[in-house]
Amino acid sequence: MHVERSEKMFFIASAALLVVFALAVGISGFVYGIQVPQPVGLVDPKTVATPGADGYHFGDPVEERIRELAPGRYEVYILAQMWKFSPGSIGYGEDPITVPVGSTVTFYLTSKDVQHGFKLQGTNISMMVLPGQVSKLTATFDEPGEYDFVCHEYCGAAHQTMYGRLIVEP
Ligand code: CUA
């Protein structure tokens, strides 16, 4: 079979691009630690705020959604709903989430109603929050300060009021 020279060049260029893309994914994952949000499990959105439901910690009261596993090691279970995150929704009178500097925090999120988003400023945490599904990402906070998080998926009339705060204390 005869293959035109120009066609061969396209084959080679396409193969080279695949290698470049694979390298970009590999380097961002293994060198820069960029994580893809992992769906870790399923919950029932109707009962997720019941203590102990589905083996997670999205239950009331809200304070119990912040769990210190060991010194400097935390898990935070944030329940999203129109139009707040709990815990941390300072705009709705909730206390900010507070951890000491140097902490590693794993965030678990799910939604009680519609699709929301979760972006934590100053970190690489950005994920979709879906009813029925638990999403999980981890960050380490080496700088004290205020880290705001916002909903970045349009979720209804008061979407712009859906934000909260994490304080990293010195
Ligand atoms: Cu929740 Cu926008």
Side-chain angles (χ1 to χ4, degrees):
M1 185 180 70
H2 175 71
V3 180
E4 285 286 331
R5 187 164 172 275
S6 58
E7 233 172 337
K8 263 187 213 158
M9 300 297 283
F10 272 107
F11 288 152
I12 293 167
S14 309
L17 269 182
L18 283 180
V19 172
V20 169
F21 292 154
L23 277 174
V25 171
I27 290 170
S28 52
F30 293 108
V31 180
Y32 295 106
I34 293 171
Q35 312 161 62
V36 173
Q38 309 163 34
V40 291
L42 301 176
V43 290
D44 182 345
K46 291 194 277 307
T47 57
V48 68
T50 310
D54 303 304
Y56 291 99
H57 301 282
F58 293 106
D60 293 321
V62 168
E63 304 76 60
E64 298 197 355
R65 298 179 189 165
I66 304 171
R67 306 170 63 83
E68 184 176 2
L69 305 180
R73 192 79 189 78
Y74 290 82
E75 277 180 352
V76 181
Y77 290 81
I78 299 179
L79 188 55
Q81 65 187 100
M82 292 184 281
W83 289 279
K84 64 177 189 170
F85 295 106
S86 296
S89 270
I90 50 172
Y92 288 89
E94 290 189 358
D95 290 334
I97 301 164
T98 305
V99 296
V101 70
S103 296
T104 297
V105 183
T106 299
F107 297 90
Y108 292 84
L109 277 98
T110 191
S111 167
K112 248 175 135 171
D113 40 41
V114 300
Q115 175 177 322
H116 298 278
F118 181 77
K119 173 159 175 51
L120 183 57
Q121 164 203 316
T123 71
N124 62 0
I125 290 190
S126 176
M127 55 184 158
M128 274 175 143
V129 182
L130 301 170
Q133 182 178 297
V134 179
S135 302
K136 170 190 175 191
L137 277 177
T138 298
T140 299
F141 297 89
D142 293 325
E143 295 289 331
E146 293 181 349
Y147 295 75
D148 286 349
F149 46 86
V150 297
C151 175
H152 60 6
E153 297 276 350
Y154 182 72
C155 56
H159 156 74
Q160 75 281 358
T161 69
M162 191 164 172
Y163 64 93
R165 180 165 294 159
L166 169 81
I167 295 180
V168 177
E169 290 183 323

